[in-house]
């Protein structure tokens, strides 16, 4: 085993939910990711749709147990001293598959921690030869830094799921009701109002985003922003592009992702002149969906791209039939989503 040390850290992360083009729903999950040598460990694995056990929406007692397990203060949940590093974002079943690793003490004084023998596991025992992540790890962490990072979670747990609330403001009540229902289905709380005046500051601070419909006047938007500023609430503001529910959900999910750019896979999306411009930071699958409104304001949906992209900038030509008139693109990669209107 190499004597070299890796750095260990933690950072907030998000698995973006959404209403997919085929009508399926993808659940929103906030979690704490592991940062190894300055980069999310999840990015070093295959293009994996997964979350760590340190999720914001699990009961505090279970969250604490997971932290103590990683500190080796609780028994390993799997055979052969293996711990779940990433699991299914939709459920907790091992049968869906999980990334596991052996965690153990090492060093002359047993103060260091080592993560080794990473594997994809779907049953009680891991088959390293068949399902091992060869070339990933082992990672050796200095005990003091490792304990300090995880110990901070015990002293100051992850932000409560209340921040996954969105305030919806608009003129079309039917659209707002459908949007609120879609957001709640994927795990994001949503409330509808026309006026934030008089709302207690602690309630305003519980929101992570405010979404405005296209018909909301600038005067009304300014009044809402002033109320949130007075409450000291740090929220993201979303200007709804069109009354298309999957598109609005994607806009809100994008706004809720407040993590640093270097910890995202998908960092850029522009749409103009019949093509999409994308930038990704690690190898991942990217799916692009085009939404457009025709002259009768009917919605048309087209899946225009689905492929694995290498890190860097990419230009993707688009079918003119999918982007004529008033149209918008939604790009999804593992864990994140971006939205852009088609410029003319």
């Amino acid at each position: 085993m190499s004597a070299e040390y890796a750095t260990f850290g933690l950072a907030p992360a998000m698995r973006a939910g959404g209403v997919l083009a085929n009508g399926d729903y993808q659940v929103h999950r906030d979690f704490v990711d592991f940062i190894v040598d300055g980069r999310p460990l999840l990015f070093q694995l295959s293009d994996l749709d997964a979350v760590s056990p340190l999720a914001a929406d699990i009961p505090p007692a279970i969250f604490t147990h997971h932290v103590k397990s990683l500190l080796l203060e609780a028994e390993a949940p799997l055979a052969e001293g293996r711990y779940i590093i990433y699991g299914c974002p939709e459920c907790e079943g091992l049968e869906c598959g999980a990334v596991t690793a052996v965690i153990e003490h090492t060093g002359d004084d047993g103060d260091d921690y080592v993560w080794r023998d990473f594997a994809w596991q779907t049953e009680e025992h891991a088959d390293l030869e068949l399902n091992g992540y060869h070339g990933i790890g082992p990672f050796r962490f200095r005990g003091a830094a490792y304990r300090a990072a995880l110990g901070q979670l015990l002293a100051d747990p992850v932000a409560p799921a209340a921040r996954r609330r969105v305030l919806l403001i608009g003129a079309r009540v039917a659209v707002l009701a459908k949007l609120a229902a879609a957001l709640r289905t994927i795990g994001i709380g949503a409330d509808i109002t026309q006026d934030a005046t008089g709302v207690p500051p602690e309630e305003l601070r519980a929101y992570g985003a405010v979404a405005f419909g296209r018909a909301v006047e600038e005067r009304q938007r300014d009044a809402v922003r002033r109320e949130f500023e007075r409450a000291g609430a740090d929220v993201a503001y979303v200007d709804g592009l069109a009354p298309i529910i999957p598109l609005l959900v994607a806009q809100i999910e994008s706004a809720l992702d407040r993590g640093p750019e270097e910890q995202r896979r998908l960092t850029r999306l522009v749409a103009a002149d019949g093509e999409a411009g994308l930038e990704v930071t690690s190898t991942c699958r990217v799916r692009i969906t085009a939404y457009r409104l025709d002259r009768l304001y009917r919605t048309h949906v087209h899946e225009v791209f689905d492929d694995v992209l290498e890190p860097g900038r990419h230009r993707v030509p688009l079918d003119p039939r999918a982007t004529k008139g008033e149209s918008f693109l939604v790009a999804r990669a593992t864990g994140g989503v971006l939205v852009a209107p088609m410029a003319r």
Side-chain angles (χ1 to χ4, degrees):
M1 181 181 297
S2 172
E4 294 183 1
Y5 284 96
T7 62
F8 179 85
L10 302 168
M14 182 185 84
R15 188 264 196 160
V19 181
L20 306 183
N22 62 3
D24 290 343
Y25 289 89
Q26 183 170 289
V27 175
H28 176 106
R29 298 295 301 278
D30 293 303
F31 65 100
V32 176
D33 200 3
F34 308 111
I35 309 299
V36 177
D37 285 336
R39 190 162 175 257
L41 178 58
L42 190 59
F43 290 8
Q44 300 182 44
L45 303 169
S46 57
D47 185 33
L48 190 65
D49 183 16
V51 299
S52 82
L54 307 178
D57 55 352
I58 63 176
I62 297 177
F63 184 91
T64 298
H65 177 77
H66 286 321
V67 175
K68 289 186 174 181
S69 291
L70 296 172
L71 289 167
L72 300 182
E73 295 176 4
E75 186 176 352
L78 302 174
E80 301 161 342
R82 302 192 70 83
Y83 294 78
I84 295 175
I85 307 300
Y86 295 106
C88 174
E90 302 283 347
C91 71
E92 298 181 2
L94 185 62
E95 62 274 10
C96 289
V99 177
T100 68
V102 174
I103 301 179
E104 61 187 7
H105 284 299
T106 190
D108 295 337
D109 55 3
D111 189 55
D112 296 339
Y113 292 79
V114 167
W115 290 16
R116 63 173 175 84
D117 296 339
F118 287 83
W120 178 253
Q121 191 168 343
T122 57
E123 50 191 31
E124 183 179 357
H125 296 280
D127 187 334
L128 293 178
E129 184 175 348
L130 182 64
N131 296 316
Y133 282 95
H134 306 293
I136 302 296
F139 300 114
R140 181 179 180 182
F141 307 115
R142 296 186 186 277
Y146 183 90
R147 286 190 296 273
L150 288 167
Q152 183 62 35
L153 292 180
L154 297 177
D156 183 20
V158 292
R163 286 290 290 173
R164 290 188 286 114
R165 295 195 66 81
V166 179
L167 188 63
L168 308 178
I169 301 174
R172 299 179 63 177
V173 176
V175 172
L176 294 179
K178 291 179 181 178
L179 176 57
L183 290 169
R184 292 166 187 154
T185 298
I186 66 172
I188 298 176
D191 298 308
I192 300 172
T193 188
Q194 295 298 319
D195 185 4
T197 303
V199 177
E202 61 272 17
E203 290 189 24
L204 295 181
R205 288 193 291 268
Y207 292 103
V210 177
F212 296 109
R214 295 201 293 186
V216 178
E217 297 180 353
E218 193 60 36
R219 180 181 61 182
Q220 186 179 358
R221 296 172 189 242
D222 289 340
V224 171
R225 292 190 182 99
R226 284 194 297 269
E227 291 300 317
F228 276 87
E229 289 172 2
R230 291 192 187 103
D234 178 22
V235 298
Y237 294 100
V238 177
D239 294 322
L241 290 172
I244 302 172
I245 301 304
L247 176 68
L248 295 172
V249 170
Q251 277 193 270
I252 290 169
E253 281 284 19
S254 181
L256 289 174
D257 189 354
R258 311 295 287 275
E261 188 170 290
E262 62 270 16
Q263 292 176 14
R264 304 181 190 182
R265 272 196 165 115
L266 183 61
T267 59
R268 176 175 175 267
L269 173 66
V270 294
D273 301 323
E275 66 178 24
L278 295 158
E279 184 169 5
V280 296
T281 60
S282 64
T283 301
C284 61
R285 177 187 177 190
V286 177
R287 292 166 293 165
I288 303 178
T289 305
Y291 297 89
R292 71 177 184 88
L293 293 173
D294 63 20
R295 294 180 180 179
L296 299 178
Y297 287 94
R298 294 172 298 192
T299 301
H300 300 265
V301 184
H302 301 268
E303 296 281 6
V304 295
F305 182 80
D306 187 348
D307 205 350
V308 175
L309 297 178
E310 297 295 323
R313 293 194 172 190
H314 304 269
R315 297 170 65 179
V316 178
L318 303 172
D319 185 342
R321 293 172 298 178
T323 58
K324 65 181 180 180
E326 187 178 14
S327 57
F328 314 88
L329 296 185
V330 173
R332 288 186 175 276
T334 305
V337 59
L338 291 177
V339 179
M342 176 61 69
R344 298 295 172 186

